Amino acid sequence: MRKTHALTEAAIELALFAVLLLLALYVPFIGFIAALFLALPFMVFTMRHGLIPAWLLLAAALVVSGLIGSLLSLPMALMFGTFGIAVGAMLVKKKNRYLVLLVGALVFLANIVLDYVISIQFLQVDMIQDTLALVRESFDTAMRVMEGMGQTPPTEMKKQFEQAIVLISYMTPTLFFVASFVLAYVTIIVSLPVMKRLKLPVGTWPPFRELSLPKSVLWIYVLVLVLSLFPLKEGTFTYIAVLNVSYVLQLALIVQGFSFLYYAAYKKGIGKGVVVAGTVICLFLPFLLYLVAIFGIIDLGFDLRRRI
């Protein structure tokens, strides 16, 4: 009886996935929204029936995606399928939602990197470099238009533009990392209300002020800072690795800093409106983010929360 129920639900979830995939592939705008729900059937099925049946559902979903779409739709099915299974497995174990978010982001990151490597090696398509080439071409066109109007483009502006293009190309891993977290967060956020309606044990988000990173993050950051003091040759693997790890850890420390400030505001009885307004101001004034990161470093290193 239970196997029959599982097969029936698998067929329903597979049909739901097929409809969402069709919308995602062929319907503009609505397809983008539908894509955010592609992981939902796998989350629900994993929570109700476990990992092994969920992997079988994913295998069937890959076959279906190949039939209704093309081989290019397989990466999308694999990405959202593995994400849904990972998140569902974490939720059913009642893990902290921030940990669920981290695991989901890492699954997305692994899929994005895999798709990027396959795209370069087998399709000879590098979307990052192609996009940067288009941006550079647009910039060059704008410069020629200025020259045609009798204006001389500032040399410093050209130099800064080229430096920005090179930096972006070096920071591709960081961009993938940030994109993975944003996509994971949005996907989880839109899926949770549906899962609650289905009466699945999804738990709640712990207060952001209680979020605290492992102290090892601080020591890794110190190690990266020490490595950055050495004269690394620009463009080498070591240079790019140190650059990206540094940026990722800075983002992590900014999150830690905001968490500490939220905790301090809570202890001092400062209103949420003031806290949110302060957060928005910090996001638009980069120099304030450095101060927030410093608070994160002090909080991790000296457990500043206990002193409030």
Side-chain angles (χ1 to χ4, degrees), residues 88-276:
M90 295 294 288
L91 288 175
V92 80
K93 293 179 180 180
K94 299 180 180 180
K95 297 294 185 180
N96 184 294
R97 275 201 195 173
Y98 292 120
L99 181 59
V100 175
L101 174 61
L102 174 61
V103 170
L106 291 177
V107 172
F108 268 145
L109 180 61
N111 278 276
I112 291 173
V113 171
L114 178 63
D115 293 344
Y116 184 63
V117 171
I118 291 175
S119 175
I120 293 174
Q121 294 296 324
F122 297 99
L123 303 179
Q124 282 73 52
V125 176
D126 188 335
M127 294 195 316
I128 300 295
Q129 295 302 323
D130 290 347
T131 302
L132 292 177
L134 288 175
V135 172
R136 183 180 280 108
E137 183 178 343
S138 299
F139 180 82
D140 291 340
T141 301
M143 293 299 100
R144 287 194 295 270
V145 170
M146 289 182 64
E147 291 174 353
M149 296 174 64
Q151 300 179 8
T152 303
T155 305
E156 187 64 26
M157 184 173 66
K158 290 183 178 180
K159 183 179 179 181
Q160 290 178 354
F161 175 79
E162 289 298 329
Q163 289 175 344
I165 291 294
V166 172
L167 180 61
I168 292 173
S169 66
Y170 288 160
M171 289 182 59
T172 298
T174 299
L175 297 177
F176 284 170
F177 182 83
V178 173
S180 298
F181 264 91
V182 172
L183 184 57
Y185 180 76
V186 174
T187 304
I188 291 173
I189 286 296
V190 300
S191 299
L192 286 177
V194 179
M195 298 172 76
K196 287 181 180 178
R197 292 292 298 272
L198 296 174
K199 298 182 179 180
L200 294 171
V202 295
T204 58
W205 289 100
F208 179 66
R209 63 179 180 271
E210 295 180 2
L211 175 64
S212 184
L213 301 174
K215 290 187 181 296
S216 57
V217 171
L218 180 58
W219 294 112
I220 296 174
Y221 184 64
V222 171
L223 177 61
V224 171
L225 287 180
V226 172
L227 290 175
S228 65
L229 296 177
F230 290 92
L232 301 175
K233 185 178 179 180
E234 184 174 339
T236 61
F237 174 80
T238 305
Y239 175 86
I240 296 174
V242 170
L243 180 68
N244 282 276
V245 173
S246 175
Y247 274 108
V248 169
L249 291 177
Q250 286 179 32
L251 290 173
L253 291 172
I254 288 173
V255 172
Q256 178 72 28
F258 275 124
S259 175
F260 165 74
L261 293 175
Y262 275 49
Y263 180 85
Y266 174 77
K267 285 294 185 179
K268 300 297 182 180
I270 300 175
K272 291 184 178 179
V274 176
V275 174
V276 173

Side-chain angles (χ1 to χ4, degrees), residues 11-59:
I12 294 172
E13 301 292 0
L14 188 59
L16 175 60
F17 172 80
V19 172
L20 291 171
L21 184 62
L22 281 171
L23 292 173
L25 291 175
Y26 301 112
V27 182
F29 182 69
I30 296 177
F32 172 77
I33 299 175
L36 297 177
F37 291 92
L38 281 174
L40 181 60
F42 299 96
M43 293 184 197
V44 173
F45 195 76
T46 302
M47 294 188 72
R48 286 179 171 172
H49 301 286
L51 285 172
I52 295 179
W55 286 114
L56 294 175
L57 176 64
L58 176 59

Side-chain angles (χ1 to χ4, degrees), residues 296-308:
I297 292 172
I298 297 173
D299 185 35
L300 275 180
F302 302 97
D303 203 3
L304 198 55
R305 302 182 190 212
R306 291 188 178 181
R307 304 175 188 273
I308 298 178

